[in-house]
Amino acid sequence: MDYQSFFRQALEDLQAEGRYRVFADLEREAGQFPFARNHRDGKTERVTVWCSNDYLGMGQHEVVLDAMRAALDAAGAGAGGTRNISGTNHNHVLLERELADLHGKDAALVFTSGYVANETALMTLGSRLPDCNIFSDSLNHASMIAGIRHSGARRHIFRHNDVADLERKLRDADPNAARIVAFESVYSMDGDIAPIGEICDVAHKYGALTYLDEVHAVGMYGAQGAGVAERDGVQGKVDVVQGTLAKAFGVIGGYVASSPELVDFIRSFGAGFIFTSALPPSIAAGALASVRHLRRHPEIRARHQERAATLKGKLLAAGLPVMASDSHIVPLFVGDAERCKRASDLLLQQHRIYVQPINYPTVPRGAERLRLTPTPLHDDAMINDLIRALLDVWSRLGLLRAAAE
Ligand SMILES: *Cc1c(COP(=O)(O)O)cnc(C)c1O
């Protein structure tokens, strides 16, 4: 077999569809967020980043950087092993305590990423609970899908955020089997929010465990930043909450928080937790500082929501096709992979504005979009600048203007 031509052909097909991924070569400049330097064609230029998941700018916050520098000097670079074999650092222990407390749970477990946390937790539960059936929202993230697939559990996919459809599927499944209902709070591409309390009530009526991914909500929703379940007063109904330390908390890593028994079970049987080296102590210290800071500063969350509302209002007023969203995520409809890529290129080349195109398979074909993520650090001038640039690109490419939804 000619392996190289096989690879080349697959990549050419992606290119022909306009959905070949090209990474922006960015240099983040600590203290300058949301500005960054972009390397392109041998030159660099300063751009405004409008698509970062560093939702609150904590990746450059002095409180986080100071904690990381101190831990780096005190403890060195790497953790030195897996959690079981010499790799557990006191910073991991403190971070897990803090995360459990944040979510009103008795235990938490940290993983190397949010992806690994989802994959490992769902794979471990789904493969070891007797005859496990997993009920999964149709728009669940790839990391949950991977965990569910690899667990070998029976999969039931319910319509997105549809409590009645979930109930039908729970009612029809084997009453003696173990069950898990897995879903997200904020869905990251549409920015819509799950009815968490209702989903948990139906799940518990049929004896299921509830598993909630709050990756796009932790740090940002609820009085202390525990997520939408905290905001809605339903934290007690969520049996397992999963989160990331890499988005609003600005560092890297993922976690689950739950009962001591369930957490100890995953700690003791989860391959993706056991057989990999622990996060560096400086990472755990930075994440801990970030979580603590955001718990105490609700005004950062208020400013974040205000910025998102202001951006949505200005896009609407300008006649740009902002899609309905209940959260800080602001999707702009394009509806075509090729033109979505062109719009993104023009924004960068003509206006020094960086927004990555979002194409299939991240969103369905025909639903291609630009996904804007305003942060507390995007000021009015940056918003006005963005609107002017979008209007220019929209008219150059003849893109749809009416609201899409
Ligand atoms: C980004 C993401 C993850 C993975 O988190 P990482 O820490 O980036 O690995 C999990 N779930 C959802 C919904 C995500 O968007």
Side-chain angles (χ1 to χ4, degrees), residues 46-112:
R46 192 178 227 214
V47 300
T48 311
V49 178
W50 272 102
C51 58
S52 176
N53 280 343
D54 187 356
Y55 288 126
L56 304 175
M58 293 304 287
Q60 301 184 3
H61 198 288
E62 275 308 318
V63 161
V64 176
L65 303 191
D66 285 345
M68 291 186 71
R69 282 189 281 257
L72 184 66
D73 289 338
T82 63
R83 286 292 297 274
N84 187 43
I85 306 177
S86 95
T88 294
N89 186 273
H90 192 53
N91 286 300
H92 298 121
V93 177
L94 294 177
L95 176 59
E96 286 172 344
R97 271 188 212 148
E98 185 77 24
L99 291 167
D101 192 60
L102 171 67
H103 290 287
K105 302 291 182 206
D106 292 319
L109 195 65
V110 168
F111 299 78
T112 49

Side-chain angles (χ1 to χ4, degrees), residues 53 55 112-118 139-144 184 186-189 213-216 242-247 252-255 371:
N53 280 343
Y55 288 126
T112 49
S113 74
Y115 188 104
V116 173
N118 269 335
L139 292 189
N140 272 346
H141 188 258
S143 55
M144 279 197 272
E184 301 179 23
V186 175
Y187 285 83
S188 70
M189 292 303 147
D213 174 325
E214 289 246 42
V215 160
H216 293 279
Q242 180 270 356
T244 184
L245 302 168
K247 291 173 185 173
I252 190 76
Y255 63 92
R371 173 182 178 271

